[in-house]
Amino acid sequence: MLTFVVRRLLLLIPILLGLSILVFLFVRALPGGPETALLGERSTPERAAAVRAAYGLDRPVYEQYASYMGKVAQGDFGVSIQTQRPVLEEIRNRFPATIELASSAMLFAVAVGIPLGFVAGRRPQSWVDNLSTGGSLLGIAIPVFALGFLLKYVFAVKLGWLPGTGRQDVTITTDHPTGFFVLDGVLTGDLPAAWDALKHLVLPAVALGTIPLAIITRITRAAVQEVSNEDFVRTAEAKGMTKQVVTRRHILRNAMLPVITIVGLQTGLLLSGAILTERVFSFGGMGSLMSEAIFRRDFPVLQGGILFLAVVFVLVNMLVDISYGFLDPRVRGA
Amino acid sequence: MSLTQAGAVASATTVQAEDAPGGLTRDALRRMRRSPTAIIGLVLIVVFVLVAVFAPLLAPYDPTVQRLDLIRPGEYPGPSREFLLGLDQLGRDELSRIIYGARYSLLIGVVSLTLGASVGLLLGLVAGAFGGWVDSLVMRVVDIMLAVPGLLLAIGVAALLGPRLLSVMIAIAVVNVPIFARLLRGSMLAQRRSDYALAARSLGVTRRRVVLNHVFPNSLAPVIVQGTLALATAIIEAAGLAYLGLGSSDPAIPEWGRMLADTQSSLATSPLLALWPGLAIVFSVLGFYLLGEALREALDPKLRR
């Protein structure tokens, strides 16, 4: 088991190195470098040259890369051109929002998807099955921002049940020791603030969670159906075990293997920036940080942000791999 | 012989003919004809393609002509007899724009699929055919590309190339490359170990011919399925890019994603304007998705009887 984990970790090194080179070259290839972002209309050749020198852009690319990586190794991702704050600080400010949103979306998807998929898989062609199949098809076919529009229009504009923008009401001034607004409200004892933050999470989480919901439902259904037809299930039933025990111990446990993989992979995807959802609901997480950085040509933020998100994505995927090794002994040898 | 009897006999003979052993393609086609999923998907796609091709004949108006006399800011006429789906924020006929929009969605889907799949398949073919260090090298590159989440990758490429329709196509194509490369390579590795490949090798067929004439064609089934699904994803991704302002910057182009994105500010007053392009996207995506799912089932050798 240990060799399995170590091997997975070693495999990460070339991927992360290659990725850093790719991101580095990409940012340098973007039209309009930092001089355009900083100077804009006031740009003259002399001023542009001064900016390029200040950011070290006049040196050979490989030298720039080496010095960048040297700093990254020390946790220094540079300074945002737009805000003049360290990139790491920007990420630290925004990432909690993304974690909050992604985990609520995943919670929604798992809490609805697994029971739904399970019932659908146990009773194929029943109304639950047909409804969930149709629903998940729709969930995959609708663009996430269109779903966001729809939810916002119905629940925020028409019915006025839930807030449709931001993470918390602007009139609430609670401290944010952790950056997780719901948790912050609980920690500081300001429960109305926590409740308000929670209400702000509902619509974006449902919009973002729909695709994983559709996928989880489908995978659960297929897995439950496949496992139900296995010999060991028939054997267990023939032995006279109660339906409950067979369902819980034989079917559910085995069917959960592919589901866990999917949940893990989807979590990685959600964490890596719900760019579209965050934009619809003006939810200030990593996604909006990245899209702002693109439009403002804020290349240190862009570079650090993509690298950070990709590392998170790769790490989560690796954790999924490893947990799979724990759950299914057959995988370890592979 | 009554008509029904004749029909019964006729269908009996077809069933017999259909049951005759055929290749995977024939077998798959036979199963596709029986699958409601495949038929619904195909109907949706056919409608979509026909609308795209015959847009100039079908559209009641020019999609770029503005009827500024009929609109006021924040007030856009809804469906009427004259304008079946109403007018958009710039006073253009919504129905005509939806009809012409099919062309752009189809174009984006087909071009990005062709580009992405050809590069991806070439990489996968090289990796799967040569193995060894070539395989390792190609797959590491693929791993790196897959380490960046799809939409982020597409946004990056689109930002690099500027807001044009071609950038959108290239961006989506880039996302497709590692997917197809890994798929073909995996499929080829499995086929290379198969008995028929070994048989061909032991009959003295050259390695190259085994790979090109036997292994490669037999590895294509999952690629075809992925291709269909990639068309669905392309439409969704293009819409997402348009929403972020990374689509074509030309407001005259009636692209569904952009039409949908543009309704954000007028959502409270004219929600219907968001509905039409939304429905167009959902139905076209659904078409490709259903067909892809049906193909996956039809081409699965485990389900062959």
Side-chain angles (χ1 to χ4, degrees):
Chain A
M1 192 64 212
L2 189 68
T3 40
F4 174 78
V5 175
V6 171
R7 204 161 46 197
R8 281 293 134 107
L9 280 171
L10 287 178
L11 267 176
L12 277 184
I13 298 173
I15 292 182
L16 292 180
L17 267 180
L19 192 70
S20 67
I21 296 177
L22 203 74
V23 172
F24 192 80
L25 292 177
F26 156 70
V27 169
R28 257 128 208 92
L30 272 178
E35 63 267 28
T36 331
L38 271 180
L39 300 170
E41 297 287 299
R42 296 172 287 131
S43 180
T44 62
E46 296 80 46
R47 278 180 168 173
V51 170
R52 295 182 66 79
Y55 284 93
L57 294 173
D58 48 353
R59 288 181 296 154
V61 174
Y62 58 89
E63 257 182 47
Q64 293 179 36
Y65 176 73
S67 82
Y68 179 71
M69 284 313 281
K71 282 183 187 159
V72 166
Q74 299 163 31
D76 177 8
F77 282 82
V79 172
S80 160
I81 293 182
Q82 203 65 39
T83 61
Q84 297 297 330
R85 279 200 298 253
V87 173
L88 206 61
E89 195 188 308
E90 294 277 349
I91 293 176
R92 211 179 286 142
N93 283 340
R94 301 292 195 102
F95 198 50
T98 299
I99 296 181
E100 214 173 39
L101 178 58
S103 44
S104 337
M106 194 38 84
L107 201 68
F108 162 72
V110 166
V112 180
I114 292 182
L116 204 60
F118 183 79
V119 175
R122 287 298 278 163
R123 301 199 196 101
Q125 309 304 331
S126 66
W127 64 270
V128 178
D129 183 26
N130 294 332
L131 195 76
S132 76
T133 308
S136 56
L137 273 173
L138 210 61
I140 290 174
I142 190 167
V144 63
F145 69 93
L147 185 64
F149 283 7
L150 187 71
L151 290 172
K152 203 170 155 175
Y153 178 72
V154 175
F155 294 101
V157 177
K158 278 283 139 182
L159 299 171
W161 290 353
L162 290 161
T165 45
R167 294 182 63 193
Q168 203 158 45
D169 200 278
V170 281
T171 55
I172 291 175
T173 47
T174 320
D175 280 345
H176 294 295
T178 63
F180 298 96
F181 281 17
V182 179
L183 189 66
D184 285 342
V186 176
L187 287 180
T188 55
D190 191 350
L191 290 180
W195 175 242
D196 184 69
L198 201 63
K199 278 201 294 189
H200 277 83
L201 264 174
V202 175
L203 291 183
V206 170
L208 185 62
T210 304
I211 291 176
L213 168 64
I215 296 172
I216 290 171
T217 310
R218 280 180 45 114
I219 300 281
T220 310
R221 177 188 184 270
V224 165
Q225 237 179 356
E226 201 177 309
V227 175
S228 300
N229 291 327
E230 291 279 358
D231 288 341
F232 60 76
V233 172
R234 206 171 314 137
T235 310
E237 279 167 353
K239 278 195 299 192
M241 297 178 100
T242 61
K243 208 175 161 186
Q244 231 179 352
V245 174
V246 176
T247 303
R248 208 177 49 226
R249 210 183 284 166
H250 298 82
I251 299 179
L252 205 55
R253 264 199 204 176
N254 282 293
M256 278 306 107
L257 284 172
V259 178
I260 288 167
T261 318
I262 284 295
V263 170
L265 295 178
Q266 289 289 322
T267 307
L269 267 180
L270 295 188
L271 277 177
S272 58
I275 301 178
L276 299 169
T277 315
E278 284 186 13
R279 199 175 154 106
V280 174
F281 295 100
S282 318
F283 202 89
M286 282 301 284
S288 38
L289 181 70
M290 298 311 292
S291 48
E292 284 157 28
I294 285 180
F295 294 113
R296 296 188 175 148
R297 302 276 176 247
D298 196 340
F299 82 117
V301 172
L302 203 55
Q303 192 162 289
I306 299 180
L307 216 52
F308 178 80
L309 288 179
V311 170
V312 169
F313 186 59
V314 172
L315 280 179
V316 171
N317 287 356
M318 193 198 63
L319 281 178
V320 174
D321 261 8
I322 293 176
S323 71
Y324 211 67
F326 272 108
L327 294 167
D328 188 351
R330 286 170 298 185
V331 183
R332 281 173 224 165
Chain B
M1 192 190 280
S2 75
L3 259 176
T4 40
Q5 276 176 314
V9 172
S11 67
T13 39
T14 17
V15 165
Q16 206 177 20
E18 278 173 353
D19 280 345
L24 180 60
T25 320
R26 242 177 79 187
D27 210 36
L29 280 177
R30 179 168 59 88
R31 262 185 284 152
M32 292 283 285
R33 272 208 302 272
R34 289 186 194 154
S35 146
T37 318
I39 292 167
I40 298 172
L42 212 57
V43 167
L44 286 172
I45 294 172
V46 167
V47 170
F48 172 55
V49 173
L50 286 180
V51 168
V53 171
F54 295 107
L57 297 176
L58 293 169
Y61 300 94
D62 182 328
T64 58
V65 166
Q66 292 175 265
R67 294 293 303 272
L68 293 175
D69 50 321
L70 295 175
I71 57 163
R72 255 171 292 161
E75 259 180 62
Y76 316 111
S80 64
R81 188 168 283 199
E82 197 182 350
F83 305 103
L84 287 176
L85 300 183
L87 294 174
D88 75 354
Q89 302 93 326
L90 294 174
R92 298 168 297 196
D93 178 46
E94 183 76 3
L95 178 63
S96 306
R97 291 183 67 74
I98 295 280
I99 290 174
Y100 270 92
R103 297 192 142 188
Y104 292 97
S105 288
L106 190 64
L107 189 71
I108 292 171
V110 170
V111 173
S112 61
L113 172 65
T114 318
L115 262 177
S118 11
V119 177
L121 290 182
L122 195 69
L123 284 175
L125 182 64
V126 168
F130 290 99
W133 67 268
V134 181
D135 181 36
S136 299
L137 185 75
V138 172
M139 290 328 285
R140 285 301 84 76
V141 174
V142 166
D143 280 345
I144 292 170
M145 290 179 80
L146 286 173
V148 186
L151 185 65
L152 203 59
L153 188 62
I155 289 173
V157 176
L160 202 64
L161 301 173
R164 279 179 300 154
L165 210 56
L166 188 66
S167 320
V168 174
M169 297 177 197
I170 296 175
I172 298 169
V174 171
V175 178
N176 276 331
V177 167
I179 299 174
F180 279 99
R182 191 148 92 161
L183 196 64
L184 182 66
R185 180 241 181 204
S187 176
M188 279 182 74
L189 283 189
Q191 296 292 332
R192 265 174 67 168
R193 283 189 224 109
S194 64
D195 292 339
Y196 70 82
L198 184 68
R201 280 291 284 152
S202 50
L203 283 172
V205 181
T206 59
R207 212 177 110 159
R208 193 168 135 171
R209 277 193 54 194
V210 173
V211 167
L212 287 180
N213 295 352
H214 297 269
V215 173
F216 178 63
N218 279 297
S219 312
L220 282 177
V223 172
I224 295 169
V225 173
Q226 182 58 41
T228 323
L229 298 178
L231 284 170
T233 334
I235 297 174
I236 296 252
E237 276 169 0
L241 289 175
Y243 177 56
L244 293 173
L246 290 166
S248 165
S249 57
D250 182 357
I253 290 182
E255 199 265 309
W256 291 343
R258 191 192 163 115
M259 289 166 69
L260 186 54
D262 284 347
T263 61
Q264 190 174 21
S265 52
S266 57
L267 204 58
T269 49
S270 21
L272 278 181
L273 280 183
L275 185 67
W276 310 125
L279 284 180
I281 291 174
V282 167
F283 280 123
S284 54
V285 169
L286 218 49
F288 289 114
Y289 191 78
L290 289 174
L291 185 72
E293 285 300 305
L295 272 171
R296 189 202 300 281
E297 269 172 34
L299 288 171
D300 189 346
K302 273 186 285 184
L303 298 173
R304 277 181 89 178
R305 273 155 295 160

